[in-house]
């Protein structure tokens, strides 16, 4: 008997699968289709354990469904454009194209080493002109329909590098590369009008039952629909007005100041001369802060010197610029009601601004001087002659009516969602197919001239404007008047690439359209798998693209992904030395730093991070334990939706289990190799009957755990229990019947384990003398008669607490169960002498007695 040697086995079967094109998509139209897809990776050069887990989940589903007789589409590709390649090129002195393609080649080898059942004939890379040609084609279609447009927008600008920075390149208000203070600058930018689809995007979050509710809630919050009123505040001694949006017009009587975003165009117009220097300094400082951090920071602001008028009270209201107001939300201006808004309350207390109570609790009147926090609940109106004493909820519609009558406001719907800015002042991305001509204006590149190819003979330095602006790429002839013109030198946001790649997989070699007619058969994706971190933008943009392409007549579906599975993170504790910082496992000897001998601090278990050196190289794990063990551990250690804590003991445990299965088959191979499996119950009794019952119960449970619940960990656990049972085999394998029952159980173990550990199970299946390949073998069906039990154990609870267990014939009725349970000695200890108020019986499972 050979010892289990995963490296040798896995290399053999990967070669067999590749030569046989084992996982090419079955195009048989008489089979039910199933499109399973994991979010494609950025080619960083190395896969990590998060990739392993994500792709192993998808592979189990794909292999299982193929064995269940479905026509499965399971492709893979590369999200290959983007900033990381550009940064790597700058740091290493190589071209982004060279860096990216080398990484793709390396990662492809790694993924194949895991034995993933991808149809590699459908591979796409978004940096290929054959792919981004269709980004440009779709852009032009959007432009024709008015879904793509250009306008002035604020960007992060580094004056030293003379370039635009992405949000992630701004660290604490300074440029990540040169530490210069980042400024906010207005540039012409291209946008997709995603807001045209806001209502439909929101509506369909209630029509996606296959999506996790937490993801749908995140999308609803991002869309941020608010029904309220837009109110106009006139600025004193100016023709300008401030428009605000509020869902609480009942608090209008309590406005004591106005807050503007630093980017608001009115700031410069209304600020008094004496306040201009201080306001400009404040605005410049706040603009340099990441907008995501502004709202979390301490509330601060500066007075502009201007006042506006409350349209309902006539009060003179000071206008401030505040750090917590963002131009992207609402109108970029907020009416401040400190008595009834916590943020405004904090600001008012800091700058000694009056607080005016206009809603009191039902049982008392509030004193602004005594308030420790804002009162944000409903109550009764105060401080307004018309509505005093009325419930604020009753007064609210009347106040809206009054505003509309006086011409100071109107009912409106506000969205948190803003149009999608797709312009990037970077090199490594899809060129935007637009030409600017002095005579003809903005001219789309003719379709027949696509793709606009990204030139690779440029120098990427990271300084100054995009290298495209200095290249011969920018100078072009206007396609209308034939005069000299300039190309757009911005490239597209890489989210554009990933917003429709799942459609390209269907017909990746189509040359006349982005995708062919087969898309009607395969879409929508039946099961989409990826991290929760993509719950908003990627998924929202993909949904928008699908709806927009539908309206272009390219698709007939409303949503791209029927079911969504968001897997948890892979986490691991970090190790830190007081002298040398974070340490990798190779830098630690026992619990001490190898460099200085100091005791190492073991930190909290958290997401793997290169900066904390707590990542695990899958190649090393695969080399030592094999791909099957690596896959099995990632699937067994936790349910897919939960975080997985890395544990080398768990990896070794998975390896030992596969070794046990290997030995179980090989130790008995000579006895059962040419035996037919038991195909029924020819009068089985005792242990043989128990084994066959457990075998078919395991088939049933594993099938349901994979197909219905995606509880891979419990499915694997069930297989382990069956293996344990077979190791406890009683009486030897002497009779033909014993051999047949054992063979049936062994085959079940191999078949059920195959989606999780495909290499080893293929080897075992072949060694058992089977002529077919395992991946072509139908999934086993359970025998309904076999799983019936003669006797069941009932859990007995008294007043909700477990007090006993009673064995009864399966299928026993309530009366006979009640009679038996109430005579049970352990039960009597808790019920004796007490009146039974209720007797609840869950057939074949549970009894609960209420005394």
């Amino acid at each position: 008997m050979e010892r289990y040697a995963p490296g040798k086995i896995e290399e053999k079967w990967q070669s067999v699968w590749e030569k046989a094109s084992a996982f090419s998509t079955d195009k048989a139209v008489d089979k039910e289709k199933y499109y399973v897809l994991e979010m494609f990776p950025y080619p960083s050069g190395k896969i990590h354990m998060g990739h392993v887990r994500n792709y192993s989940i998808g592979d189990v589903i794909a292999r299982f469904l193929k064995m269940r007789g479905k026509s499965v589409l399971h492709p893979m590709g590369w999200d290959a454009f983007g900033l990381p390649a550009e940064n790597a090129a700058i740091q290493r002195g190589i071209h982004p194209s060279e860096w990216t393609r080398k990484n793709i080649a390396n990662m492809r080898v790694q993924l194949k080493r895991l034995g993933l059942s991808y149809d590699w004939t459908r591979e796409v890379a978004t940096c290929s002109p054959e792919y981004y040609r269709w980004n440009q084609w779709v852009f032009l279609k959007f432009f024709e329909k008015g879904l793509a447009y250009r306008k002035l927008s604020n960007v992060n600008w580094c004056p030293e590098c003379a370039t635009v920075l992405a949000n992630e390149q701004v660290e604490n208000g300074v440029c990540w590369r040169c530490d210069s203070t980042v400024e906010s600058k207005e540039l012409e930018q291209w946008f997709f009008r995603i807001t045209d689809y806001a209502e439909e995007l929101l509506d369909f979050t209630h029509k996606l039952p296959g999506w996790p509710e937490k993801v749908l809630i995140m999308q609803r919050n991002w869309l941020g629909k608010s029904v309220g009123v837009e109110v106009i505040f006139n600025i004193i001694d100016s023709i300008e007005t401030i428009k605000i949006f509020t869902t609480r017009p009942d608090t209008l009587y309590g406005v004591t100041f106005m807050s503007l975003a630093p980017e608001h165009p009115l700031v410069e117009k209304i600020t008094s001369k004496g306040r201009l220097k201080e306001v400009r300094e404040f605005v410049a400082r706040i603009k340099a802060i990441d907008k995501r951090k502004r709202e979390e920071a301490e509330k601060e602001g500066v007075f502009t010197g201007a006042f506006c008028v409350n349209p309902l009270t006539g009060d003179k209201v000071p206008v401030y610029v505040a750090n917590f107001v963002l131009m992207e939300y609402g109108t970029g201006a907020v009416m401040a009601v400190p008595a009834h808004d916590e943020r405004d309350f904090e600001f008012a207390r800091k700058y000694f601004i009056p607080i005016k109570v206009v809603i009191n609790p039902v049982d008392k009147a509030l004193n602004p001087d005594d308030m420790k926090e804002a009162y944000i609940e409903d109550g009764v109106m105060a401080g307004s002659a018309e509505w005093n004493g009325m419930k604020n909820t009753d007064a609210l519609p009347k106040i809206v009516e009054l505003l509309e009558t006086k011409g100071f406001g109107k009912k409106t719907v506000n969205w948190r969602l803003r149009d999608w800015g797709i312009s990037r002042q970077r090199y490594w991305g899809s060129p935007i197919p637009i030409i600017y001509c002095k005579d003809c204006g903005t001219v789309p590149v003719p379709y027949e001239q696509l793709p606009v190819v990204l030139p690779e003979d440029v120098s990427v330095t990271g300084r100054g404007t995009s290298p495209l602006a200095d290249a011969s790429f920018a100078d072009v002839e206007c396609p209308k008047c034939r005069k000299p013109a300039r190309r757009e030198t911005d490239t597209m946001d890489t989210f554009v690439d990933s917003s429709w790649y799942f459609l390209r997989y269907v017909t990746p070699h189509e040359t006349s359209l982005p995708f062919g007619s087969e898309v009607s058969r395969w879409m929508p994706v039946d099961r989409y798998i990826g991290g929760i971190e993509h719950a908003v933008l990627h998924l929202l943009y993909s949904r928008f693209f699908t709806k927009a392409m539908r309206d272009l007549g390219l698709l007939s579906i409303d949503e791209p992904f029927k079911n969504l599975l968001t897997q948890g993170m892979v986490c691991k504790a970090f190790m830190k030395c007081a002298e040398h910082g974070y340490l990798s496992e190779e830098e630690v000897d026992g619990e001490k730093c190898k460099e200085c001998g100091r005791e190492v601090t073991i930190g909290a278990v958290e997401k793997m991070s290169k900066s904390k050196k707590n990542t695990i190289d899958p190649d090393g794990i695969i080399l030592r334990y094999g791909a099957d063990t690596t896959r099995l551990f990632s699937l067994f250690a936790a349910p897919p939706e939960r975080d997985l804590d890395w544990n080398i003991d768990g990896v070794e445990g998975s390896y030992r289990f596969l070794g046990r299965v290997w030995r179980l088959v090989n130790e008995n191979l000579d006895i059962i190799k040419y035996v037919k499996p038991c195909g029924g119950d020819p009068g089985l009794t005792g242990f043989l009957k128990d084994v066959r019952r457990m075998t078919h119960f395991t088939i049933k449970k594993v099938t349901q755990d994979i197909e219905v619940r995606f509880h891979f960990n419990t499915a694997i656990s069930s297989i382990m229990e069956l293996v344990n049972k077979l190791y406890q085999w009683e009486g030897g394998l002497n009779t033909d019947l014993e051999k047949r029952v054992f063979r049936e159980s062994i085959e079940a173990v191999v078949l059920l384990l195959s989606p999780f550990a495909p290499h080893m199970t293929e080897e075992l299946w072949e060694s058992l003398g089977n002529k077919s390949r395992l991946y072509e073998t139908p999934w086993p069906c359970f025998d309904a008669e076999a799983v019936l039990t003669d006797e069941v154990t009932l859990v007995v609870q008294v007043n909700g607490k477990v007090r006993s267990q009673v064995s009864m014939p399966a299928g026993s009725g309530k009366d006979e169960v009640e009679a038996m349970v109430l005579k049970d000695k352990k039960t009597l200890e808790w019920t004796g002498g007490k009146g039974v108020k209720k007797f609840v019986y869950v057939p074949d499972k549970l009894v609960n007695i209420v005394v």
Side-chain angles (χ1 to χ4, degrees):
M1 181 190 68
E2 288 186 7
R3 183 175 174 274
Y4 173 46
K8 182 179 177 181
I9 293 168
E10 289 166 6
E11 185 178 347
K12 168 188 170 180
W13 285 103
Q14 287 163 18
S15 176
V16 169
W17 295 333
E18 187 161 355
K19 288 177 182 176
S21 300
F23 306 113
S24 293
T25 305
D26 184 350
K27 298 181 181 180
V29 294
D30 58 332
K31 291 183 180 181
E32 183 181 353
K33 72 92 178 177
Y34 199 97
Y35 188 173
V36 58
L37 180 64
E38 304 97 67
M39 295 179 184
F40 65 169
Y42 172 76
S44 59
K46 298 279 286 185
I47 65 169
H48 52 69
M49 288 306 301
H51 288 129
V52 172
R53 191 182 190 200
N54 187 17
Y55 304 147
S56 295
I57 290 168
D59 198 54
V60 168
I61 296 170
R63 286 176 177 274
F64 169 77
L65 291 170
K66 183 178 177 69
M67 294 174 76
R68 293 281 277 175
K70 295 229 171 79
S71 181
V72 176
L73 173 58
H74 188 209
M76 176 48 69
W78 313 98
D79 193 6
F81 271 140
L83 189 62
E86 203 161 315
N87 291 343
I90 295 165
Q91 293 164 3
R92 292 167 176 80
I94 63 173
H95 197 278
S97 173
E98 180 186 352
W99 166 258
T100 301
R101 289 183 170 88
K102 281 182 178 178
N103 288 349
I104 287 174
N106 186 53
M107 290 177 70
R108 188 189 299 114
V109 169
Q110 289 182 295
L111 294 184
K112 288 185 176 183
R113 183 69 184 84
L114 280 166
L116 301 166
S117 60
Y118 292 129
D119 181 350
W120 285 104
T121 65
R122 296 170 183 268
E123 179 183 7
V124 300
T126 59
C127 64
S128 164
E130 290 76 23
Y131 183 89
Y132 65 73
R133 167 192 181 185
W134 301 110
N135 280 359
Q136 297 168 352
W137 187 93
V138 171
F139 177 96
L140 294 178
K141 291 294 181 183
F142 282 8
F143 182 72
E144 290 170 6
K145 199 178 178 186
L147 288 175
Y149 68 97
R150 195 169 180 242
K151 69 172 183 179
L152 280 172
S153 178
N154 284 296
V155 296
N156 301 315
W157 178 260
C158 174
E160 178 65 24
C161 297
T163 189
V164 174
L165 304 176
N167 286 334
E168 58 267 28
Q169 292 177 306
V170 181
E171 299 172 354
N172 298 318
V174 300
C175 174
W176 69 287
R177 189 178 294 126
C178 72
D179 291 332
S180 297
T181 300
V182 173
E183 302 171 356
S184 181
K185 186 175 182 178
E186 272 197 335
L187 289 179
E188 290 277 359
Q189 306 277 288
W190 282 96
F191 290 82
F192 282 159
R193 211 179 296 274
I194 190 175
T195 52
D196 280 10
Y197 288 84
E199 196 70 63
E200 187 182 350
L201 288 166
L202 178 62
D203 180 46
F204 270 82
T205 64
H206 301 283
K207 299 176 183 178
L208 293 168
W211 284 43
E213 185 61 23
K214 63 181 177 181
V215 173
L216 297 173
I217 290 171
M218 290 169 75
Q219 294 225 342
R220 290 172 197 143
N221 291 340
W222 189 266
L223 291 164
K225 182 179 182 180
S226 302
V227 179
V229 59
E230 189 176 84
V231 184
I232 298 171
F233 286 71
N234 291 318
I235 297 175
I236 295 174
D237 297 329
S238 172
I239 61 171
E240 304 290 349
T241 61
I242 299 174
K243 286 185 180 180
I244 64 97
F245 171 84
T246 180
T247 59
R248 294 293 306 274
D250 53 322
T251 65
L252 264 163
Y253 293 89
V255 175
T256 59
F257 67 99
M258 183 69 65
S259 302
L260 299 182
E263 297 83 4
H264 201 293
L266 282 178
V267 172
E268 280 283 328
K269 292 180 181 179
I270 67 172
T271 299
S272 63
K273 288 183 179 179
R275 306 289 306 157
L276 200 55
K277 182 177 184 293
E278 187 178 351
V279 168
R280 282 175 174 170
E281 288 175 352
F282 175 82
V283 167
R285 178 167 61 85
I286 299 302
K287 279 183 175 182
I289 300 172
D290 187 330
K291 291 176 183 178
R292 291 169 293 189
K293 295 180 181 178
R294 279 196 211 171
E295 292 182 292
E296 301 168 5
E298 181 184 350
K299 308 298 177 284
E300 58 176 325
V302 62
F303 178 46
T304 63
F307 293 85
C308 61
V309 179
N310 186 320
L312 292 183
T313 66
D315 291 346
K316 185 178 178 181
V317 178
V319 182
Y320 283 75
V321 182
N323 66 334
F324 58 84
V325 184
L326 301 181
M327 197 64 209
E328 289 79 10
Y329 298 161
T331 63
V334 176
M335 69 173 202
V337 188
H340 306 294
D341 181 274
E342 199 57 51
R343 199 172 52 176
D344 298 340
F345 182 88
E346 183 182 334
F347 192 94
R349 283 284 191 246
K350 181 173 183 176
Y351 292 101
F352 305 101
I353 300 172
I355 296 174
K356 182 180 179 182
V357 173
V358 292
I359 299 174
N360 279 317
V362 175
D363 56 349
K364 67 175 181 180
L366 296 171
N367 182 343
D369 296 333
D370 297 334
M371 292 176 71
K372 298 292 187 291
E373 60 184 6
Y375 177 72
I376 59 174
E377 306 299 329
D378 289 328
V380 294
M381 296 292 294
S384 57
E386 301 101 313
W387 324 111
N388 282 354
M390 184 183 293
K391 288 182 178 178
N392 70 301
T393 51
D394 294 336
L396 195 149
K398 297 180 181 296
I399 294 171
V400 174
E401 185 179 345
L402 176 64
L403 285 167
E404 290 185 322
T405 301
K406 289 190 171 186
F408 290 130
K410 63 179 179 179
K411 293 177 187 175
T412 187
V413 174
N414 188 61
W415 294 88
R416 182 180 185 271
L417 179 71
R418 291 292 180 264
D419 280 339
W420 173 11
I422 68 156
S423 290
R424 296 294 180 268
Q425 292 70 37
R426 301 198 287 263
Y427 163 71
W428 193 236
S430 299
I432 295 175
I434 290 292
I435 293 170
Y436 303 108
C437 175
K438 289 182 180 180
D439 294 333
C440 305
T442 301
V443 182
V445 172
Y447 287 100
E448 61 271 17
Q449 292 182 17
L450 299 181
V452 177
V453 177
L454 187 71
E456 297 194 7
D457 56 343
V458 297
S459 175
V460 182
T461 64
R463 304 186 70 84
T465 56
S466 166
L468 296 179
D470 298 326
S472 57
F473 169 85
D475 297 321
V476 67
E477 183 183 81
C478 173
K480 282 188 175 181
C481 68
R482 304 301 176 190
K483 292 180 181 178
R486 293 279 292 173
R487 284 195 191 279
E488 172 63 77
T489 56
D490 285 356
T491 53
M492 295 187 204
D493 178 9
T494 53
F495 273 121
V496 175
D497 306 333
S498 58
S499 292
W500 69 280
Y501 76 105
F502 44 87
L503 297 165
R504 185 65 180 173
Y505 278 146
V506 176
T507 51
H509 308 296
E510 175 67 43
T511 58
S512 57
L513 287 169
F515 43 84
S517 59
E518 285 183 51
V519 77
S520 61
R521 164 166 161 72
W522 289 104
M523 289 297 295
V525 173
D526 295 280
R527 177 65 59 180
Y528 196 37
I529 305 161
I532 192 71
E533 66 271 21
H534 301 296
V536 178
L537 294 181
H538 163 60
L539 292 173
L540 194 67
Y541 293 154
S542 297
R543 295 180 61 215
F544 159 64
F545 252 66
T546 299
K547 294 175 187 298
M549 286 181 163
R550 174 202 63 196
D551 293 346
L552 290 172
L554 297 170
L555 293 171
S556 58
I557 58 171
D558 299 310
E559 290 286 338
F561 312 121
K562 186 176 180 181
N563 298 288
L564 176 68
L565 192 161
T566 51
Q567 95 280 358
M569 303 289 188
V570 179
C571 304
K572 184 178 180 291
F574 64 80
M575 296 176 289
K576 195 172 186 180
C577 169
E579 176 71 19
H580 296 98
Y582 293 107
L583 305 176
S584 66
E585 289 185 338
E586 292 74 23
E587 296 170 316
V588 176
D589 183 8
E591 294 182 355
K592 295 185 177 181
C593 173
K594 284 184 179 179
E595 186 72 21
C596 65
R598 291 173 181 261
E599 291 287 333
V600 169
T601 302
I602 308 298
V605 173
E606 51 191 56
K607 180 185 174 184
M608 287 187 176
S609 162
K610 288 181 180 178
S611 64
K612 293 191 175 181
K613 294 190 175 181
N614 65 340
T615 57
I616 295 295
D617 180 7
D619 283 353
I621 300 298
I622 293 170
L623 183 63
R624 182 174 177 184
Y625 297 102
D628 283 343
T629 294
T630 309
R631 291 164 56 115
L632 192 72
F633 168 76
S634 73
L635 297 164
F636 178 61
E641 68 279 3
R642 294 186 185 174
D643 289 346
L644 182 159
D645 292 344
W646 178 261
N647 184 340
I648 193 63
D649 292 337
V651 178
E652 290 175 348
S654 296
Y655 180 70
R656 287 195 300 270
F657 167 66
L658 293 181
R660 293 191 79 215
V661 175
W662 178 264
R663 291 192 302 275
L664 184 65
V665 175
N666 282 280
E667 286 173 355
N668 298 286
L669 193 57
D670 290 342
I671 302 172
I672 63 170
K673 184 167 185 176
Y674 300 106
V675 174
K676 288 186 177 180
C678 182
D681 183 357
L684 296 177
T685 59
F687 184 77
L688 290 183
K689 189 175 184 70
D690 287 344
V691 168
R692 190 162 193 274
R693 180 190 298 125
M694 187 172 186
T695 297
H696 284 270
F697 176 80
T698 304
I699 294 171
K700 178 182 179 182
K701 188 174 188 307
V702 172
T703 303
Q704 291 175 341
D705 281 349
I706 297 177
E707 191 167 45
V708 180
R709 293 183 287 269
F710 298 102
H711 288 182
F712 305 128
N713 56 325
T714 58
I716 295 167
S717 181
S718 296
I719 301 169
M720 289 176 172
E721 290 175 15
L722 179 56
V723 170
N724 289 340
K725 183 76 171 178
L726 295 177
Y727 263 100
Q728 297 163 7
W729 189 271
E730 296 176 359
L733 295 172
N734 301 310
T735 68
D736 181 62
L737 188 56
E738 288 172 331
K739 294 173 184 177
R740 290 175 62 199
V741 171
F742 189 83
R743 169 82 188 211
E744 181 184 32
S745 298
I746 285 293
E747 285 200 355
V749 168
V750 173
L751 284 162
L752 297 177
L753 192 56
S754 64
F756 306 99
H759 307 88
M760 187 191 77
T761 50
E762 282 277 15
E763 184 71 16
L764 292 178
W765 188 252
E766 184 182 66
S767 69
L768 284 166
N770 293 293
K771 301 301 181 186
S772 65
R773 298 300 189 201
L774 188 53
Y775 67 85
E776 296 174 325
T777 303
W779 186 258
C781 297
F782 71 91
D783 183 340
E785 292 292 326
V787 298
L788 293 176
T789 56
D790 298 327
E791 200 172 70
V792 294
T793 300
L794 301 178
V795 175
V796 179
Q797 295 179 338
V798 179
N799 288 351
K801 293 186 177 181
V802 176
R803 299 302 186 187
S804 184
Q805 292 183 343
V806 176
S807 294
M808 294 287 295
S812 296
K814 182 179 179 183
D815 292 342
E816 55 185 315
V817 169
E818 186 171 356
M820 179 68 76
V821 168
L822 293 178
K823 292 177 184 177
D824 175 58
K825 286 184 180 180
K826 287 188 177 180
T827 306
L828 281 170
E829 291 177 12
W830 301 95
T831 62
K834 300 177 182 178
V836 176
K837 298 176 72 172
K838 189 182 292 185
F839 188 94
V840 179
Y841 172 47
V842 180
D844 293 341
K845 291 183 180 179
L846 175 73
V847 165
N848 188 29
I849 304 167
V850 181
V851 297

